[in-house]
C-alpha cells in the first residue's frame, strides 16, 4: 500500500506540481494516476458495504470528471451497473477519458450528457451519487447548469460521496456559490486546506484521505508551506526530562494576569503553567488578590501590581493578558512589559484587546512574540474578515511580514510563522468554553521558560492543549468539559510523549 502523506496540507497548485513530478519520476501517465485515484476511491466506498439499488456517477468537464468515468468503469468491473451523467466540456477530452467513455457505452450503461435540467438523473433514497463534477482546481463559483445540478442534489438530500473534495468548494480559496453537501468525502493523498476550516464541515460529511501513490520524494524536495501538527511532529520537538535536573533548569516564568472579576483567568493560566513544567512561577496580580491566588495555588509566588513592574532579569518567559483588564493602568503595564522584556513573550486575551485599542504599541512587540487570538480578537487586531479562508491567509501574511508567531485559535488551531502554517490535529469542541485560552497561555509560557524556541513552544503547546482535552473527554462529555479539566489531564498528555 502506498504511503499516505497525511501530514501535508496540499493547496491546489502544490497537488498539481506533485502529480506532474510523479509522472516524470516514475514515469507514469495521467491515465495511470487517474486509475490509481479511482481504485482507491472504489476500494474505500465498497469497504463500507455500499450496495445501493442505484449508482449515479456525476462527471465534470475536467480531471475530476475523468476520475468519475474511471470510477464508473471499476464499478462495472465489480458487477455493478452505474449510470453516468456528465457535463459538457468546452475542450476535447483526453484520449484515455474518451476511451473509458466508449467502454462504458459499449457495456450498455446509461451515459448521458447533461445540457439542461431535463437531463438530470432521477434519484431516490436508495441512490448513491458519486460527485466527480469539480475538484481542487476550481477557482470560481459554479454557474449555469452545473450550479443548477448542485442545487438539485441539495434539494434531493441523497447519499452523496465526493471525489477528493465536494464540488463547488474551494480547496484553498473562498468561493461564494452552491457546493455539494457530501455524506462522505474521500480525499486523495493528503489533506486540503478546506478540510481544516470549520465553515466547510457541514459540506464535507465524514472525511477519509486515501493514498494514490504520488512520489514520496516530492515533499522532501519541495516541503509544503502548510502542514499538520502530528504526534510525529511533536516527538521531534519534545525533550523528555533526564532525571538529573533541578528547578533552575526549567526556568522561571512570569505571568501578568487577573483583575477584579477576572481572577479565575489568572488562576487557570498559572496552574496550567506549573502543570506544563516551568521550574518556578511568579504571578503579578492586584494586591488585594494575592492571598486569593496563594490559597488557590500555593506553588506560585505572587507580586502586587500596585508596586509596579519588577525587574525582569530573573524570568525566562513572560505571559501577559489573561484577565488583566483594559484600563489605563493595564495599558501602561503592557507597554512597560513590551519595552523592558528581553525574553520570549506570550500575549493573550486582554493584552491583545489592548493592542487593538492602541495599535501603535504593535511596533513594540519583540521578535519571537507569541500572539494567541481567537477569531474575534484576530479581527479586532488586523481588520474584519468575512470568512475563515481570508483570516487564515491573513495570519500567514502577518507572520511573514513580522517576526512573530501567530496562533489563530480554533478547532484546528493554526500556528503561523515566517509565512508558513501548521494546523493542529488534536482538540475537540469541549474547548469552546471560557478559560481554555488562559490554559493555553500558561502552557506556552512554561514551554518558553524551558527554552523551547517560540515556534517549537507554539507547536508543542497547542498539541498538548488539544491532547489534554481529548484525554479529558474520555471520561467527561464535551458539553461538560471545563478548562480546569484540561489542566488536570495535562500530565497524561505529557505521558503519551514518553
Amino acid at each position: 500500500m502506498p504511503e499516505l502523506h497525511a501530514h501535508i496540507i496540499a493547496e491546489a497548485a502544490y497537488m498539481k506540481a506533485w502529480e506532474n513530478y510523479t509522472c516524470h519520476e516514475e514515469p507514469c501517465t495521467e491515465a495511470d494516476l487517474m486509475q490509481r485515484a479511482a481504485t482507491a476511491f472504489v476500494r474505500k466506498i465498497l469497504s463500507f458495504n455500499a450496495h445501493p439499488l442505484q449508482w449515479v456517477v456525476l462527471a465534470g468537464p475536467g480531471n475530476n470528471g475523468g476520475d468519475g468515468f474511471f470510477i464508473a468503469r471499476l464499478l462495472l468491473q465489480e458487477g455493478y451497473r452505474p449510470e453516468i451523467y456528465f457535463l459538457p466540456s468546452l475542450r476535447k477530452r483526453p484520449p484515455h477519458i474518451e476511451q473509458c467513455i466508449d467502454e462504458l457505452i459499449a457495456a450498455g450503461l446509461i451515459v448521458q450528457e447533461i445540457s439542461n435540467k431535463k437531463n438530470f438523473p432521477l434519484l431516490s433514497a436508495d441512490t448513491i451519487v458519486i460527485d466527480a463534477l469539480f475538484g481542487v482546481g476550481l477557482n470560481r463559483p459554479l454557474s449555469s447548469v452545473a450550479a443548477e445540478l448542485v442545487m438539485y442534489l441539495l434539494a434531493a438530500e441523497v447519499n452523496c460521496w465526493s471525489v477528493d473534495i465536494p464540488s463547488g468548494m474551494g480547496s484553498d480559496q473562498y468561493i461564494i456559490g452552491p457546493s455539494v453537501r457530501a455524506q462522505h468525502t474521500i480525499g486523495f493523498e493528503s489533506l486540503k486546506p478546506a478540510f481544516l476550516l470549520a465553515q466547510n464541515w457541514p459540506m464535507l460529511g465524514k472525511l477519509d484521505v486515501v493514498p494514490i501513490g504520488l512520489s514520496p520524494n516530492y515533499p522532501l524536495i519541495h516541503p509544503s508551506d502548510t502542514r499538520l501538527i502530528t504526534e510525529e511532529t511533536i516527538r521531534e520537538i519534545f525533550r523528555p526530562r533526564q532525571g538529573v535536573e533541578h528547578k533552575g533548569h526549567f526556568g522561571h516564568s512570569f505571568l501578568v494576569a487577573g483583575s477584579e472579576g477576572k481572577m479565575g483567568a489568572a488562576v487557570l493560566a498559572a496552574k496550567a503553567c506549573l502543570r506544563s513544567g516551568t521550574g518556578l512561577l511568579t504571578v503579578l496580580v492586584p494586591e488585594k488578590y494575592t492571598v486569593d491566588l496563594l490559597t488557590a495555588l500555593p506553588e506560585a509566588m505572587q507580586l502586587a501590581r500596585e508596586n509596579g513592574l519588577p525587574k525582569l532579569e530573573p524570568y525566562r518567559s513572560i505571559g501577559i493578558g489573561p484577565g488583566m483588564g483594559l484600563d489605563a493602568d493595564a495599558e501602561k503595564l503592557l507597554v512597560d512589559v513590551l519595552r523592558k522584556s528581553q525574553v520570549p513573550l506570550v500575549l493573550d486575551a486582554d493584552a491583545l484587546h489592548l493592542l487593538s485599542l492602541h495599535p501603535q504599541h504593535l511596533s513594540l512587540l519583540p521578535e519571537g512574540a507569541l500572539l494567541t487570538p481567537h477569531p474575534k480578537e484576530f479581527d479586532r487586531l488586523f481588520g474584519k474578515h468575512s470568512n475563515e479562508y481570508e483570516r487564515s491567509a491573513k495570519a500567514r501574511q502577518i507572520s511573514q511580514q513580522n517576526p512573530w508567531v501567530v496562533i489563530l485559535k480554533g478547532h484546528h488551531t493554526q500556528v503561523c510563522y515566517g509565512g508558513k502554517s501548521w494546523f493542529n490535529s488534536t482538540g475537540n469542541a469541549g474547548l469552546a468554553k471560557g478559560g481554555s485560552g488562559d490554559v493555553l497561555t500558561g502552557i506556552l509560557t512554561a514551554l518558553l521558560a524551558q527554552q523551547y524556541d517560540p515556534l517549537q513552544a507554539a507547536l508543542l503547546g497547542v498539541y498538548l492543549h488539544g491532547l489534554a482535552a481529548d484525554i479529558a473527554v474520555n471520561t467527561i462529555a464535551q458539553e461538560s468539559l471545563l478548562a480546569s479539566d484540561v489542566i488536570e489531564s495535562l500530565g497524561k498528555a505529557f505521558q503519551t510523549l514518553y
Side-chain angles (χ1 to χ4, degrees), residues 425-438:
S425 62
T426 60
N428 57 73
L431 286 170
K433 191 169 290 183
S436 294
D438 305 318

Side-chain angles (χ1 to χ4, degrees), residues 354-370:
L354 284 167
L355 287 174
S356 69
L357 295 173
H358 309 279
Q360 70 273 19
H361 300 327
L362 281 168
S363 63
L364 299 175
L365 290 179
E367 181 176 347
L370 274 63

Side-chain angles (χ1 to χ4, degrees), residues 221-277:
I221 300 169
H222 305 281
S224 172
D225 284 345
T226 310
R227 302 178 71 84
L228 191 69
I229 306 171
T230 64
E231 184 176 332
E232 179 185 1
T233 313
I234 297 308
R235 288 191 179 280
E236 293 176 358
I237 295 171
F238 180 60
R239 301 192 297 266
R241 298 197 174 186
Q242 303 303 311
V244 296
E245 306 93 341
H246 58 77
K247 62 186 178 184
H249 284 107
F250 305 116
H252 192 164
S253 297
F254 183 62
L255 275 175
V256 182
S259 62
E260 186 173 358
K262 296 181 179 181
M263 280 305 297
V267 171
L268 288 170
K271 193 168 186 178
C273 189
L274 287 165
R275 287 286 190 191
S276 300

